[in-house]
Amino acid sequence: MVSRGCVARRLWVPALLGWVAGTLAQLAQPALWPLLAYGSVAAVGVVLLALAIGRGRQSRWPAVAVGCAAALLAFASTGGRAVDHTQRVLARAWDGATVQAVWRVQDLPARHADGVVFDATLLSAHTPQGDAVPIAGVVRLTWRLAPGGDSRAGPPRVMPGQAWRGWLRLRAPRGLANPYGFDAETWLWREGVAATGSVLHSGRWAAPHPLHDEQWRHPVARARTLVRDAIVERLAAPHGAAATGLIAALVTGDQGAIPAADWVAIRATGVAHLVAISGLHVTMFAVLATAVVGVVWRAVGRRWPRWLLTCPVPVAAGVGGVGLALAYALFAGWGVPAQRTVTMLAVVVALQLSGRRWLWPAVWLAAMAAALAIDPWAVLQPGFWLSFVAVGVLFGLGPAPAPEVSMAARAWQALRQLLTVQVLITVALAPLTLLLFGQVSLVGLVANAVAIPWVTLVLTPLALAGVMLPLLWDWAAWLARALMVLLHGMAQWPWAVWERPAVPLPLAALACLGAVLLVWRLPWRWRAWGAWLLWPALAFQPPAPAHGAFEVLLPDVGQGSAAIVRTARHTLVFDSGPPLGRSDAAERVLLPWLRALGAQPTAIVISHDDSDHAAGMATLARRYPGAQWWASFDAAPRVSIPVQHCAAGASWEWDGVRFVFLHPPTPEYGAPGPDGDNARSCVLLVGSGEQAALLTGDITQAEEAALIAAYPHLRAGLLVAAHHGSRTSTSAAWLDRLQPAAVAIQSGWRNRYGHPHPDVVQRLQERSLTWANTATCGAITWRSEASASLSCERQRVRRYWLTSAPD
């Protein structure tokens, strides 16, 4: 006779494994199936589960059947939810539409100096012609300050529960498509955003006006907003943005107020997990809440003993502690670490109260399955994997040794245990961190040894207590300021951050397994295998072009230009892209890609001084001060490093590949006119003949004609169309002379300039040229040995939540 506990262990673990595997399998789908297909999969899963349960304890096969049934149900559930979300997304027919709408704010608004970003539900939306625009999902709106308005007045004050009427311009969720760096499109899908939009309030569009305020509809978001605003109002002026943003992040989970420069220091020192509402914070809160509930319930029991018979103290304390931890996690934004911690706490408490004991892998797996049931797309977040791997390592290390008797001995033991755990977690997560971010903090051990007790035991309790007694926020702000000074200092240490190129997934998986083996409590003969598994990933170098060949990488930077040119041993960056929100394309696109390639630019060229080409110049100068710089303008106002003029005739050779500037003809050529300095853009020819690439900046047809006259035998395998495909460039004569094998255009999706212009597209089509536009293609890769081929990132990576095909 098989015991019930054995049957539970035999069935629960396969069921949890099946649920995780089924969810991951569905996320790998390149395209969604019809809803009926997912319903059929779910029906098969239910039948299989019924058959498995019907066989009871008679054999071992029900465990396999239950696992398969759980996988099918998870696959169907995730697919069905994905189909539902897809049906809520703004239809392409309405992409870019201007509508008069009524919307209700439903979540914590992110306030910035130039405006506010918030999620809303559209109660109604109609075009100027009166057509209704159907959209049922969350819309993420940006309300910027009016042009020429008083920035001191701050952004508009919107609150959850408020309903507004005004004009919006709606867009389907879309982001830049690059192989490395921040993936906005995936992030918007994870957030459940059905459309993005801008609030119109200038020119012919009347400013929005409030209709009513129903505070009861979103009480948690309303409370979070009030607390966050109170923190900012009290602390911003005396303590600065960094300390204010840190306190707001620890209390409400809003990290948007932390300045970008401070985020650099936080990441470089490896303490980003402390800025978020991490599992450590939630666990600490749960332990404190459990103790308080236990004390209160005992006091209640002394007054009404019958209540203790109905609900014993351990039950009240455990359930109450988990409930309060859940409330804190919800108030702080319900991030992945908080979800994982609350789920794990609930499983542990439920097992303890029921008298059952599960091995730690089952508890860990149950928390993962529950987290995926709540949010299947959480696995697309780096924090999901970092969180669960860290907890798995902690579980594997076993319980802490029994505490010493004396207070001093206990303190020393706690400190030693904290340092030991931090070292082991850092080693275990290093390969995963390198895989996800391309870098790992080498000062993280020291920084965390100080920051963990500082933030967890002192700063966070003070910040939370400040909700009841705001004076404590001032004390917490002083501690936050001191911490940021320390982190900035550590971030400047030599070798503070170790960077490595991007590693293929199989090697990365082996490295993660090796790191875990190194820290596991196993005999050293087993741990030694961990070093062997780490070595391939540490020694990996991305393949480079062969001698005499080169490749051109054209990132998707929106309405702007940037390029990376690689030879066998050298890298050149041509232009630095446009501003992107509060950052720039160099920070968000170029640096991650260069880091993934393991490339240090030997030279950097900025074609001209327009912001869509030069906005990231300062970012690149800070990161690569030793590079050789070229530009067509006086760069002193932008950077404080030597910059040469890119006059025609300047040339060099790398690895058998020749680089030569063709334009401008002299360093003093063409002062900027009323339309900017497009005419003096640097034009760089890489390679020769049909295997050459021509990078043209924003030259016009007049400069193209001058180049045709100056270089009658000029040819190009790749032409990067000037001025994003504007009608003022890429003339018919230019195309006929160059006879390019492929043409690449860098422009933004639905940009307001209409690039590429239909006339340019017609010229390309009339000549049957291979061409691609980053707006629809994503990042473009071109190689000199295959000059007629363009590789598109949106075609290379296909997932159902990404726009994969050119529109």
Side-chain angles (χ1 to χ4, degrees):
M1 187 73 175
V2 182
S3 69
R4 181 175 299 177
C6 291
V7 172
R9 285 193 296 271
R10 188 179 296 167
L11 297 184
W12 271 111
V13 172
L16 296 173
L17 279 172
W19 189 272
V20 173
T23 303
L24 296 179
Q26 196 284 327
L27 294 182
Q29 283 192 289
L32 287 174
W33 296 344
L35 190 60
L36 180 60
Y38 290 113
S40 301
V41 172
V44 173
V46 171
V47 171
L48 188 59
L49 183 62
L51 290 174
I53 295 175
R55 291 298 301 267
R57 310 171 188 173
Q58 299 176 10
S59 66
R60 292 181 175 273
W61 82 268
V64 178
V66 166
C68 293
L72 292 173
L73 291 173
F75 186 94
S77 171
T78 306
R81 292 168 65 175
V83 171
D84 177 69
H85 176 63
T86 301
Q87 293 173 347
R88 295 172 182 268
V89 171
L90 182 69
R92 291 187 181 182
W94 302 107
D95 192 8
T98 297
V99 300
Q100 187 177 42
V102 175
W103 66 85
R104 180 183 294 114
V105 184
Q106 69 174 48
D107 207 350
L108 177 74
R111 307 194 195 282
H112 307 297
D114 59 345
V116 59
V117 180
F118 57 94
D119 288 349
T121 302
L122 292 192
L123 305 180
S124 66
H126 293 83
T127 65
Q129 293 76 31
D131 298 324
V133 178
I135 179 169
V138 174
V139 179
R140 181 153 297 170
L141 298 176
T142 300
W143 189 344
R144 290 188 172 87
L145 295 177
D150 185 4
S151 61
R152 294 173 298 178
R157 185 173 176 82
V158 298
M159 298 290 289
Q162 288 181 343
W164 293 75
R165 182 189 299 276
W167 290 92
L168 306 174
R169 179 166 291 118
L170 299 178
R171 293 182 180 271
R174 194 179 180 96
L176 304 178
N178 295 293
Y180 306 101
F182 179 62
D183 186 351
E185 208 160 320
T186 298
W187 175 63
L188 290 170
W189 174 277
R190 264 217 69 246
E191 296 280 307
V193 175
T196 60
S198 302
V199 178
L200 306 178
H201 54 95
S202 61
R204 67 193 191 112
W205 310 111
H209 60 275
L211 297 178
H212 51 264
D213 188 357
E214 298 175 340
Q215 304 180 21
W216 54 270
R217 286 189 176 272
H218 304 285
V220 175
R222 186 80 173 210
R224 291 178 68 204
T225 304
L226 291 173
V227 171
R228 192 273 314 276
D229 291 352
I231 291 172
V232 172
E233 183 178 353
R234 184 178 184 91
L235 301 181
H239 295 285
T244 303
L246 184 55
I247 300 302
L250 292 175
V251 176
T252 67
D254 178 21
Q255 304 172 28
I258 301 177
D262 296 289
W263 268 117
V264 172
I266 289 170
R267 294 191 184 100
T269 51
V271 299
H273 64 101
L274 295 176
V275 177
I277 303 299
S278 68
L280 192 60
H281 298 147
V282 177
T283 301
M284 177 202 70
F285 185 89
V287 170
L288 180 61
T290 300
V292 171
V293 171
V295 170
V296 171
W297 198 249
R298 286 189 182 92
V300 170
R302 286 193 291 269
R303 178 68 177 83
W304 295 285
R306 186 175 301 176
W307 286 24
L308 291 182
L309 297 175
T310 305
C311 182
V313 171
V315 175
V319 175
V322 172
L324 290 174
L326 173 62
Y328 172 49
L330 290 172
F331 184 81
W334 195 234
V336 170
Q339 293 175 22
R340 181 260 303 163
T341 304
V342 171
T343 303
M344 199 166 292
L345 288 171
V347 171
V348 170
V349 169
L351 290 173
Q352 288 180 343
L353 295 180
S354 64
R356 294 180 174 87
R357 292 190 63 185
W358 282 6
L359 296 177
W360 73 260
V363 177
W364 181 81
L365 196 59
M368 179 178 288
L372 293 180
I374 296 170
D375 181 6
W377 300 280
V379 297
L380 303 176
Q381 277 190 316
F384 178 89
W385 298 106
L386 292 171
S387 177
F388 275 99
V389 171
V391 171
V393 171
L394 288 176
F395 269 135
L397 295 176
E404 301 287 345
V405 177
S406 67
M407 185 67 69
R410 289 184 180 183
W412 170 247
Q413 180 177 303
L415 178 61
R416 185 174 58 185
Q417 182 72 10
L418 176 65
L419 293 175
T420 301
V421 169
Q422 181 58 38
V423 169
L424 296 178
I425 290 294
T426 301
V427 172
L429 293 183
L432 189 57
T433 305
L434 283 173
L435 171 66
L436 296 172
F437 304 111
Q439 62 183 31
V440 64
S441 173
L442 297 184
V443 301
L445 291 175
V446 179
N448 277 282
V450 176
I452 286 176
W454 194 324
V455 173
T456 305
L457 302 179
V458 183
L459 183 55
T460 301
L462 274 177
L464 291 174
V467 177
M468 304 300 297
L469 186 60
L471 175 64
L472 297 178
W473 282 337
D474 294 285
W475 298 3
W478 282 109
L479 292 175
R481 292 176 66 177
L483 177 62
M484 292 308 304
V485 170
L486 179 64
L487 295 181
H488 276 282
M490 288 185 174
Q492 300 303 316
W493 289 1
W495 297 93
V497 176
W498 183 45
E499 296 183 351
R500 292 291 300 160
V503 179
L505 187 58
L507 294 185
L510 286 177
C512 292
L513 177 60
V516 172
L517 281 177
L518 280 176
V519 303
W520 213 269
R521 286 179 177 169
L522 295 170
W524 276 105
R525 65 178 179 273
W526 290 104
R527 293 194 192 187
W529 283 101
W532 287 104
L533 295 176
L534 279 170
W535 177 249
L538 297 179
F540 174 78
Q541 289 293 335
H547 185 85
F550 67 99
E551 66 180 5
V552 179
L553 312 174
L554 298 168
D556 182 6
V557 293
Q559 186 64 18
S561 293
I564 300 171
V565 181
R566 296 179 71 216
T567 65
R569 295 179 300 167
H570 294 85
T571 300
L572 177 140
V573 174
F574 188 93
D575 282 339
S576 60
L580 293 178
R582 293 184 293 164
S583 182
D584 54 62
E587 181 73 37
R588 290 179 52 182
V589 178
L590 291 177
L591 293 187
W593 203 335
L594 290 167
R595 185 186 303 122
L597 295 172
Q600 292 278 335
T602 308
I604 298 174
V605 179
I606 306 298
S607 64
H608 62 297
D609 200 21
D610 285 358
S611 63
D612 57 338
H613 294 249
M617 193 173 179
T619 298
L620 294 177
R622 287 193 300 268
R623 187 65 178 82
Y624 307 112
Q628 185 178 19
W629 283 76
W630 301 82
S632 63
F633 56 95
D634 179 10
R638 288 187 177 268
V639 294
S640 58
I641 57 177
V643 178
Q644 303 178 64
H645 283 278
C646 56
S651 66
W652 66 93
E653 184 173 310
W654 289 340
D655 308 318
V657 179
R658 186 168 182 263
F659 293 72
V660 58
F661 286 112
L662 305 183
H663 188 80
T666 66
E668 297 79 20
Y669 174 82
D675 297 327
D677 60 351
N678 294 346
R680 63 175 179 178
S681 294
C682 301
V683 176
L684 180 64
L685 179 68
V686 184
S688 59
E690 296 179 355
Q691 293 185 330
L694 192 60
L695 309 177
T696 56
D698 277 355
I699 61 171
T700 67
Q701 293 186 14
E703 287 75 52
E704 292 174 354
L707 287 170
I708 290 173
Y711 303 96
H713 301 293
L714 184 62
R715 295 289 184 272
L718 170 69
L719 169 64
V720 180
H723 205 184
H724 323 290
S726 166
R727 68 184 302 178
T728 62
S729 306
T730 317
S731 65
W734 181 241
L735 292 173
D736 292 339
R737 174 55 57 88
L738 293 179
Q739 298 179 13
V743 178
I745 301 172
Q746 286 184 294
S747 66
W749 172 250
R750 291 191 177 275
N751 63 84
R752 61 193 178 98
Y753 306 102
H755 295 158
H757 195 275
D759 290 351
V760 173
V761 174
Q762 182 178 355
R763 292 169 202 156
L764 299 176
Q765 293 174 341
E766 287 174 348
R767 290 159 179 80
S768 301
L769 294 175
T770 298
W771 69 281
N773 177 13
T774 55
T776 54
C777 171
I780 299 172
T781 299
W782 177 89
R783 294 182 173 86
S784 59
E785 61 269 28
S787 60
S789 176
L790 295 173
S791 174
C792 290
E793 182 65 17
R794 291 190 183 273
Q795 294 176 343
R796 188 184 69 86
V797 178
R798 291 183 177 272
R799 291 292 182 267
Y800 59 78
W801 59 86
L802 299 175
T803 306
S804 57
D807 295 280

